[in-house]
Amino acid sequence: MPRRSSPCAHDDRFGLAPVHVLRATEWTESLRDLVATTAETNLTIQANRMNLIMNKVTSWAATIAVPTAITRFYGQNLPYPGNGTHWGVLVSTAFILVMVHPALCRLQTQGLGL
């Protein structure tokens, strides 16, 4: 007596299902990697921009620190050369300009200036 097979035994509709599932899984993993790479690239670009901004802010803070230190000295209620005279103000202003000028020139050459 010959064996009877089920009607689905010779049906090839489901024969390629594992191949399609494998292809869909690989495609999903590829898209997941693409999204992760895109997000990582975006974060890297933001970090680079923030680093550039922080370099500019730090450079300007260092430049502003020089006149602040000088005017702080002259803001004390202590007698100093030129206290209460016109030439004392001119000397302190010239001193500030002489001290800040090299820092501003350096900022301009590094591209961090205005």
Side-chain angles (χ1 to χ4, degrees):
M1 183 152 121
R3 265 177 63 188
R4 281 183 88 190
S5 60
S6 67
C8 291
H10 298 291
D11 195 2
D12 286 334
R13 287 186 287 173
F14 298 110
L16 295 176
V19 175
H20 291 299
V21 169
L22 182 62
R23 185 183 306 156
T25 304
E26 289 175 355
W27 189 46
T28 303
E29 289 176 6
S30 171
L31 289 176
R32 185 181 306 134
D33 289 342
L34 180 66
V35 168
T37 304
T38 305
E40 186 177 339
T41 303
N42 187 23
L43 289 175
T44 302
I45 290 171
Q46 287 179 354
N48 288 341
R49 285 181 187 160
M50 188 171 13
N51 190 17
L52 181 63
I53 291 170
M54 288 304 296
N55 283 344
K56 286 184 178 184
V57 169
T58 303
S59 300
W60 280 104
T63 304
I64 293 171
V66 173
T68 302
I70 294 170
T71 55
R72 181 176 154 249
F73 172 76
Y74 285 110
Q76 296 176 357
N77 292 328
L78 300 172
Y80 56 88
N83 188 8
T85 63
H86 183 67
W87 68 269
V89 173
L90 292 176
V91 168
S92 67
T93 304
F95 187 59
I96 289 172
L97 292 176
V98 167
M99 295 299 290
V100 171
H101 186 268
L104 289 176
C105 289
R106 184 173 178 204
L107 288 176
Q108 287 292 353
T109 58
Q110 291 179 352
L112 299 175
L114 294 175

